[in-house]
Amino acid sequence: MPLPVSLKNIASRAGITKAAVSMALRDHPSISVARRAEVQKLAREMGYRPNLLARGLVGKSTRSIGIAWTLGRPISGGIVQDLTIRLWNRGYVTFMANSLSDPIITRQILSDFTQRGVDGVIIEAAGLLNDPVLVGQLKGFKAAVALASEIDDVPVNLVKQVTSYGIRQMLDYWLATGRRRIGFIGEASHDKIEPIRQKLLEFGLPADHVHIVDVTNQPPTVNYFDHYWSALDRTFPRPKEPFPCDAVLCAADGGASALLKWLAHRGLRVPHDVAVAGIGDVDMARGTTPPLASLDRHGDTLSETIEALLFQRLERPDEPVLIKTVPTTFVWRESAGPCPTCLASARKGLPCPLHAKKVV
Amino acid sequence: MPLPVSLKNIASRAGITKAAVSMALRDHPSISVARRAEVQKLAREMGYRPNLLARGLVGKSTRSIGIAWTLGRPISGGIVQDLTIRLWNRGYVTFMANSLSDPIITRQILSDFTQRGVDGVIIEAAGLLNDPVLVGQLKGFKAAVALASEIDDVPVNLVKQVTSYGIRQMLDYWLATGRRRIGFIGEASHDKIEPIRQKLLEFGLPADHVHIVDVTNQPPTVNYFDHYWSALDRTFPRPKEPFPCDAVLCAADGGASALLKWLAHRGLRVPHDVAVAGIGDVDMARGTTPPLASLDRHGDTLSETIEALLFQRLERPDEPVLIKTVPTTFVWRESAGPCPTCLASARKGLPCPLHAKKVV
DNA sequence: ATGAAAGCGCTAACAT
DNA sequence: ATGTTAGCGCTTTCAT
């Protein structure tokens, strides 16, 4: 293996100082154009690769970004991958660490990132932004972007996933199609439960009409199917008792697919007896029976926005912090009930443009 | 934000050299025990955090590992997440880069990793190990581990995923249950097609009896469902023509779930007319109708093995390179055909211990 | 325009 | 035993 060639090596070969070489390579005007070309050619021939550790030590940028994320969840996983590509295309390399949604671990991660001189951090901050220490750490970076769903008044660039948006769409549809006993399975976070309550109130229904199965998804959870299935068996141990809901939102598509099976197993028909929807809109949501309605988180928009806010801050550090919102949207499929387009068309006495034969 | 405190700051406060401080903090015997305690206390009070860039520049370790992976595929994604955690627990931080399975990009990534002085690299090397330049780069790291499925004679630690193992299990089962017209959908790589051919020959069937729909999964593919569905429509445009296979293996579970739907759409029953299996064994494989048989890649074993090989090399660099293999295993579910345990029991004239009522 | 000197924060090799 | 000097590879500043 060829040992690394440094500026000093080039300098001695060229008969000048390493400082001059450094400047020549970066086209500094202090070096004559002829010299520059000469040095650059030499560097290329010798296979010079700058030591990024040394450059980062003295320079103002390490061209690296730290990402602290709760890895392992199918939904947000794609965002991280996408971000990695986007950053690489901008000439930045990514430090990745699994925050496990834990404030202590996240503090350590951010501390490590600081010690490594990253230019910026991206943090998935579900609930973490309540920790003042953590927020203080974030402010220490040249640029920081948080992905959150609730907090507003935080002194860092924020991309806010408005989960409630899609949930409201979904509830409008469910309530309009006669569903009244709404259920929720998953981590019962504020941003998911509250919009349900609100919609119920809006329709003149009691807000405590939400049946919640609070399945805390410990971060390393991969198998949502079994996780939800056992939670359902635990919560509804008696097969003879009637199921209390006529529409259930699940916080994960994998869990929703479990619910579909579980309901069938109990002799309940979807969507006739119980409507079901998930969150995440993974590809296999199309592959369940019936196809699973879901909430699209718009991961592509999310990562695009995160990238934009990060570099906005990196390039113009003095401008005030920004908050951008990205909605979720309701993706209808059969598991949720009758096709909304069919319904709308039927109301006008027309056949459905999508399902001409299936007018309801 | 508190500006970073360096060894120099501590040194001037303590009235000694920064070198002495450095040694005191690391309990070097050259420093009197009393002084060590004194300096360590001072450092703690001042909130000293070593600059890892500087330490890496001079020291022999940056306590960082680079991962070059084809991100975005649901199967291998979990491995990366798991590795990130494992490395963090060992005190290492992870550089993550998306190789997109492209040799040129991967070369750049490895080059960048070198310039940043990583202690080791982990590379998902499907097909990449044929590139001699790339292998040369790998040898330049103190430790390198490659995850591959085919290559054997490569001078780096290798974790070999033996896909063929599970495929052979599956074909034994399919051929034993009377399936003869085997199909494959996905990227028709050697390690997947060859074991199918071999098994056919073993059973005295022509090896060209494999019907291949070569769906190249460009790396950023996320939506396997639609991808496979359109490939199926393209390959079999005429609904009236009989489907040529009685058993089909799909390279991705998401794609397999599309096949299930597509077959139903064509009026074919699964598993009666056509048996179906996927690869990856994602949680939602349990949620299709019928439940989807699959190949378990044993991601946990995979990442555990990668970790072991990496640190084995890091700690004992002089020992010869190792190759460890991890099999895939066939996970039976209804989509593949009748329950193997039922079959085995029936052969002995006993009821199936798993499905007592469903003896076939 | 050109080049030499200083220093980033740290640790290993040297003195005393 | 106790601590200082030298130097990692790079860039910025200062003098010519």
Side-chain angles (χ1 to χ4, degrees):
Chain A
M1 72 197 116
L3 40 147
V5 27
S6 72
L7 284 185
K8 201 163 101 178
N9 302 142
I10 303 178
S12 70
R13 286 258 265 139
I16 52 175
T17 358
K18 52 181 183 163
V21 176
S22 168
M23 299 166 96
L25 290 179
R26 285 171 303 139
D27 277 321
H28 196 283
S30 304
I31 307 292
S32 72
V33 180
R35 248 282 133 83
R36 285 184 221 170
E38 176 197 334
V39 171
Q40 287 170 9
K41 179 161 168 287
L42 189 57
R44 215 175 310 115
E45 286 170 1
M46 296 176 70
Y48 171 71
R49 311 257 68 191
N51 180 325
L52 264 21
L53 249 28
R55 182 175 278 176
L57 180 59
V58 61
K60 61 233 79 274
S61 165
T62 53
R63 300 205 77 85
S64 64
I65 302 290
I67 300 185
W69 209 266
T70 303
L71 302 172
R73 291 193 299 219
I75 314 168
S76 56
I79 301 172
V80 175
Q81 295 150 6
D82 199 35
L83 279 172
T84 311
I85 300 178
R86 288 172 184 277
L87 295 176
W88 177 263
N89 289 341
R90 292 232 192 194
Y92 284 77
V93 75
T94 306
F95 281 108
M96 184 85 82
N98 197 330
S99 70
L100 297 166
S101 300
D102 179 88
I104 304 298
I105 295 178
T106 310
R107 284 188 198 175
Q108 292 171 347
I109 292 172
L110 292 182
S111 171
D112 188 286
F113 286 168
T114 306
Q115 295 177 255
R116 293 182 191 271
V118 299
D119 296 325
V121 286
I122 298 170
I123 175 175
E124 187 197 26
L128 260 37
L129 257 33
N130 298 314
D131 184 340
V133 176
L134 220 146
V135 174
Q137 287 180 297
L138 286 179
K139 285 172 63 178
F141 294 97
K142 277 189 300 214
V145 180
L147 173 64
S149 56
E150 312 213 9
I151 309 266
D152 261 329
D153 56 338
V154 143
V156 295
N157 274 1
L158 203 65
V159 177
K160 208 174 152 185
Q161 169 96 69
V162 189
T163 318
S164 60
Y165 196 91
I167 295 186
R168 282 197 297 267
Q169 289 185 328
M170 198 181 60
L171 261 88
D172 276 335
Y173 165 77
W174 272 346
L175 291 165
T177 50
R179 313 279 171 175
R180 288 296 176 271
R181 293 164 294 130
I182 311 296
F184 175 85
I185 309 181
E187 193 152 12
S189 59
H190 187 85
D191 64 318
K192 302 204 183 83
I193 301 300
E194 217 40 53
I196 301 179
R197 292 229 162 91
Q198 278 176 21
K199 273 293 165 194
L200 287 175
L201 288 174
E202 241 177 65
F203 274 70
L205 298 164
D208 58 0
H209 230 232
V210 195
H211 303 264
I212 297 172
V213 179
D214 195 350
V215 182
T216 309
N217 300 320
Q218 281 98 332
T221 304
V222 181
N223 189 338
Y224 285 92
F225 190 97
D226 290 344
H227 196 52
Y228 273 53
W229 186 285
S230 54
L232 283 162
D233 273 343
R234 240 182 293 120
T235 314
F236 307 105
R238 273 172 289 276
K240 304 292 169 192
E241 268 182 24
F243 190 69
C245 308
D246 57 11
V248 181
L249 170 64
C250 299
D253 283 343
S257 78
L259 178 60
L260 292 179
K261 287 269 168 196
W262 189 88
L263 289 169
H265 197 248
R266 290 257 165 138
L268 293 161
R269 290 158 303 169
V270 176
H272 186 275
D273 302 319
V274 184
V276 174
I279 297 185
D281 195 29
V282 300
D283 66 339
M284 280 184 79
R286 298 158 179 82
T288 57
T289 306
L292 179 67
S294 193
L295 254 47
D296 186 352
R297 293 192 55 180
H298 299 285
D300 46 353
T301 312
L302 230 32
S303 53
E304 196 182 327
T305 311
I306 292 174
E307 180 198 12
L309 285 202
L310 184 73
F311 287 98
Q312 181 266 355
R313 191 126 195 89
L314 233 34
E315 285 154 16
R316 288 180 295 284
D318 299 323
E319 292 187 19
V321 294
L322 287 177
I323 297 182
K324 293 238 182 191
T325 61
V326 176
T328 56
T329 50
F330 177 48
V331 179
W332 176 85
R333 290 197 192 90
E334 280 88 329
S335 74
C339 165
T341 315
C342 289
L343 290 178
S345 310
R347 235 176 287 130
K348 297 179 201 156
L350 298 168
C352 172
L354 279 69
H355 312 91
K357 293 159 194 174
K358 291 198 220 165
V359 185
V360 263
Chain B
M1 77 198 110
L3 40 147
V5 26
S6 72
L7 286 185
K8 200 163 103 178
N9 303 141
I10 303 178
S12 70
R13 287 258 265 136
I16 51 175
T17 351
K18 52 184 182 157
V21 176
S22 167
M23 299 166 97
L25 290 179
R26 285 170 303 140
D27 278 321
H28 196 283
S30 304
I31 307 293
S32 73
V33 181
R35 183 131 272 166
R36 284 184 223 170
E38 175 197 332
V39 172
Q40 286 170 10
K41 178 161 170 285
L42 189 57
R44 215 175 310 117
E45 285 170 3
M46 297 175 71
Y48 170 71
R49 309 258 70 190
N51 179 324
L52 264 19
L53 249 30
R55 183 176 277 180
L57 180 59
V58 63
K60 61 232 80 275
S61 166
T62 53
R63 298 205 77 86
S64 64
I65 302 290
I67 300 185
W69 209 266
T70 304
L71 270 13
R73 291 194 298 218
I75 313 170
S76 57
I79 301 173
V80 174
Q81 295 150 6
D82 198 36
L83 279 172
T84 310
I85 300 178
R86 287 171 184 277
L87 295 176
W88 177 263
N89 289 341
R90 292 233 194 194
Y92 284 76
V93 75
T94 306
F95 281 108
M96 185 84 81
N98 196 331
S99 70
L100 297 166
S101 300
D102 180 87
I104 303 299
I105 295 178
T106 309
R107 283 189 200 176
Q108 291 172 347
I109 291 173
L110 292 182
S111 171
D112 188 286
F113 286 168
T114 305
Q115 295 177 254
R116 293 182 191 272
V118 298
D119 296 325
V121 288
I122 298 170
I123 175 176
E124 187 198 25
L128 259 39
L129 257 31
N130 298 315
D131 184 339
V133 176
L134 221 146
V135 174
Q137 286 180 297
L138 286 179
K139 284 173 62 177
F141 295 97
K142 275 188 301 209
V145 179
L147 173 64
S149 56
E150 312 215 8
I151 307 265
D152 262 329
D153 56 337
V154 143
V156 294
N157 274 1
L158 202 66
V159 177
K160 207 174 154 187
Q161 170 96 69
V162 189
T163 317
S164 60
Y165 196 91
I167 295 187
R168 282 196 297 268
Q169 288 185 328
M170 198 181 59
L171 261 90
D172 276 334
Y173 165 78
W174 271 347
L175 291 166
T177 50
R179 312 281 171 175
R180 288 296 176 271
R181 293 164 295 128
I182 311 298
F184 175 85
I185 309 181
E187 193 152 12
S189 60
H190 187 84
D191 64 319
K192 301 204 183 84
I193 301 301
E194 216 41 51
I196 301 180
R197 293 228 162 91
Q198 277 176 22
K199 273 294 165 192
L200 288 175
L201 287 174
E202 243 177 62
F203 274 69
L205 298 164
D208 58 1
H209 230 233
V210 195
H211 303 263
I212 298 171
V213 180
D214 195 351
V215 182
T216 309
N217 301 320
Q218 281 98 332
T221 304
V222 181
N223 189 338
Y224 285 92
F225 189 98
D226 289 345
H227 195 51
Y228 273 53
W229 186 285
S230 55
L232 284 163
D233 273 344
R234 239 181 295 120
T235 315
F236 307 105
R238 273 172 287 277
K240 304 292 169 193
E241 267 183 23
F243 190 70
C245 307
D246 57 11
V248 181
L249 170 64
C250 299
D253 283 343
S257 78
L259 178 60
L260 292 179
K261 287 268 168 199
W262 188 88
L263 290 169
H265 197 248
R266 291 259 165 135
L268 293 162
R269 291 158 301 171
V270 176
H272 187 274
D273 301 320
V274 184
V276 173
I279 296 184
D281 196 29
V282 300
D283 67 338
M284 281 184 79
R286 297 157 180 82
T288 58
T289 306
L292 180 67
S294 192
L295 254 46
D296 186 351
R297 291 192 57 180
H298 299 284
D300 45 354
T301 311
L302 231 32
S303 53
E304 195 183 326
T305 311
I306 292 173
E307 180 197 13
L309 285 201
L310 183 73
F311 287 98
Q312 181 266 355
R313 191 126 194 89
L314 232 35
E315 285 154 17
R316 287 181 296 283
D318 299 323
E319 292 188 16
V321 295
L322 288 177
I323 297 182
K324 293 237 182 192
T325 61
V326 176
T328 56
T329 50
F330 176 48
V331 179
W332 177 86
R333 289 197 193 89
E334 280 87 330
S335 75
C339 163
T341 315
C342 289
L343 289 178
S345 309
R347 235 177 286 128
K348 296 181 201 155
L350 298 168
C352 173
L354 280 71
H355 311 92
K357 292 160 195 175
K358 291 197 219 165
V359 184
V360 265

